[in-house]
Structure formats: C-alpha cells, structure tokens
Amino acid sequence: MGFHTFDPDQADRLEDVSRYRWCSNEELFTYLAPSPDDEVADLGSGTGFYTDFVADHVETVYAVDVQAEMHERYAENGIPKNVETVTAPIDELPLDDDALDSAFTTMTYHEFSGPAAIAEIGRVLRPGGRLVVIDWAREGYGTDGPPLESRHDLGHAISALSEGGFVVDRAESRTETFVCVARNESDRR
Ligand SMILES: C[S@@+](CC[C@H](N)C(=O)[O-])C[C@H]1O[C@@H](n2cnc3c(N)ncnc32)[C@H](O)[C@@H]1O
C-alpha cells in the first residue's frame, strides 16, 4: 500500500486556524468550484479541517482517511449530516466507478502520490471530474509542515497526474505550497 501517516496524537495541530495562511477555505472552494448537488471526496481528510466548509455547499462529502483515529477526532468536533467518513487508503477506495463529481486533497499528496492511488482516484471520479491537489512544496522554506525531503514539487504532481490520465488545467507553486487542478480524462473505460 505504501503510505506515510500523520500521528493521530498530533491531530490538534491540524485544527490550528493559522493553517489558513497556506490554504484558505475560500481558495480551495474557488479551485473546486462545486455545484450544490455534487458528490465530492476529501482525500486524507484528517480532522475535517477543510471538509466542513465544502460540505456546506455540496450534496455529499466522503471524508476519506486511512486512520480511524482521525475520524474519531473529527467526530469530537461534530460531523455534518452530509459527510460520510470512509476509513480506507486512497489506493483502495470503497466507492463505485464514477461515484464522484470532484475530489480534493490538502497537505496529503506527498503521503499517497504513487500511480496506484492516482489510478484509483481516476476510477472513482466521473469523466471530466475535477481533482484539486494542494500540498507542501519541496522548494518551500520548510519552516512549517513536513521536512523538505518528504515533500514533492509541483512538477512531480503534474507528471504523476498526467501519466495517470489527468489533464492539468492549473498549476502554481507559491512560497510554501503548490496547487494543481486537474481534469479526469483517464482511459480506463
Ligand atoms: C497531514 S494530514 C492532512 C489532513 C487534512 N487534509 C488537512 O489538511 O487538515 C494527512 C492525513 O491523510 C491521511 N492519509 C495519509 N496517507 C493516506 C492514504 N494513503 N490514504 C488515506 N489517508 C491517508 C492521514 O491519516 C492524515 O489524517
């Protein structure tokens, strides 16, 4: 399976509102641009720090995390009725083909970035469905987030997603994070 995990004992760090300087709800929402009836997944949802805001604006959010402890921590905050927690690795999602209109992943891509996970995202996203990846950038300062050697750069995401059948519509590297917005054109059908 091959993934790193965030220490659940450190989960409170994910609830620190100063994290919005690296990715705000507003910008995530702008990149995702969902419709009210959309089915969306938050891939590596942790404590649900970004899940709730998106859930306010769509039909369903599947909060996917490989660690049940993270969902337990999320439940302490109160999980919205239209959020379904899914305990699974991203490369083995218990979702039907084409189940999702879009998906997003914040600060987690470096933990699952292999071809199996990208193929699995391509399977559960409908054709043309949008994937928003926001993660720590390798060329960042490294003062927040994981050490630089654990991170990927934007080029990694562009190559991996392109090889996995996605078309990258937007790609930006910032001071400490990168954004990659891609469309599912995977040829698995
Ligand atoms: C750094 S935290 C970020 C959580 C959340 N996205 C946020 O920004 O607040 C990464 C989360 O992804 C989960 N995770 C890591 N690898 C995963 C994988 N392969 N499949 C599913 N979840 C994974 C971890 O358990 C952890 O909760």
Side-chain angles (χ1 to χ4, degrees):
M1 206 151 41
F3 53 81
H4 310 280
T5 53
F6 191 92
D7 180 359
D9 290 339
Q10 302 286 318
D12 282 350
R13 286 174 41 207
L14 296 174
E15 293 289 295
D16 179 353
V17 292
S18 75
R19 295 183 63 219
Y20 289 129
R21 82 197 126 135
W22 306 123
C23 172
S24 72
N25 280 325
E26 282 283 281
E27 71 166 327
L28 173 62
F29 190 75
T30 301
Y31 293 134
L32 197 62
S35 298
D37 57 354
D38 275 0
E39 303 282 316
V40 180
D42 179 357
L43 301 169
S45 51
T47 60
F49 188 69
Y50 290 103
T51 319
D52 289 2
F53 187 84
V54 174
D56 276 347
H57 298 89
V58 301
E59 184 70 23
T60 310
V61 180
Y62 298 92
V64 177
D65 204 289
V66 72
Q67 299 192 98
E69 296 98 319
M70 287 298 189
H71 293 320
E72 287 162 18
R73 179 65 182 76
Y74 186 14
E76 289 171 18
N77 294 345
I79 300 177
K81 285 196 169 55
N82 65 334
V83 172
E84 287 188 28
T85 57
V86 175
T87 305
I90 293 165
D91 59 4
E92 289 177 38
L93 295 169
L95 297 172
D96 291 340
D97 293 357
D98 304 340
L100 303 174
D101 296 293
S102 65
F104 65 95
T105 179
T106 55
M107 313 313 174
T108 305
Y109 172 75
H110 63 281
E111 301 192 23
F112 70 78
S113 58
I118 292 170
E120 185 68 338
I121 297 168
R123 181 185 70 78
V124 299
L125 260 185
R126 67 167 168 76
R130 183 173 293 191
L131 172 64
V132 177
V133 177
I134 302 180
D135 199 9
W136 300 104
R138 182 146 189 141
E139 59 273 55
Y141 298 118
T143 48
D144 287 80
L148 297 180
E149 61 270 20
S150 303
R151 306 176 179 194
H152 293 314
D153 61 15
L154 175 61
H156 184 289
I158 293 172
S159 298
L161 291 172
S162 301
E163 283 164 20
F166 284 80
V167 173
V168 174
D169 290 320
R170 180 169 189 156
E172 292 161 8
S173 200
R174 296 102 68 99
T175 57
E176 191 71 335
T177 59
F178 69 77
V179 178
C180 199
V181 180
R183 192 167 9 104
N184 186 23
E185 298 291 341
S186 56
D187 184 22
R188 60 175 171 74
R189 294 164 180 88

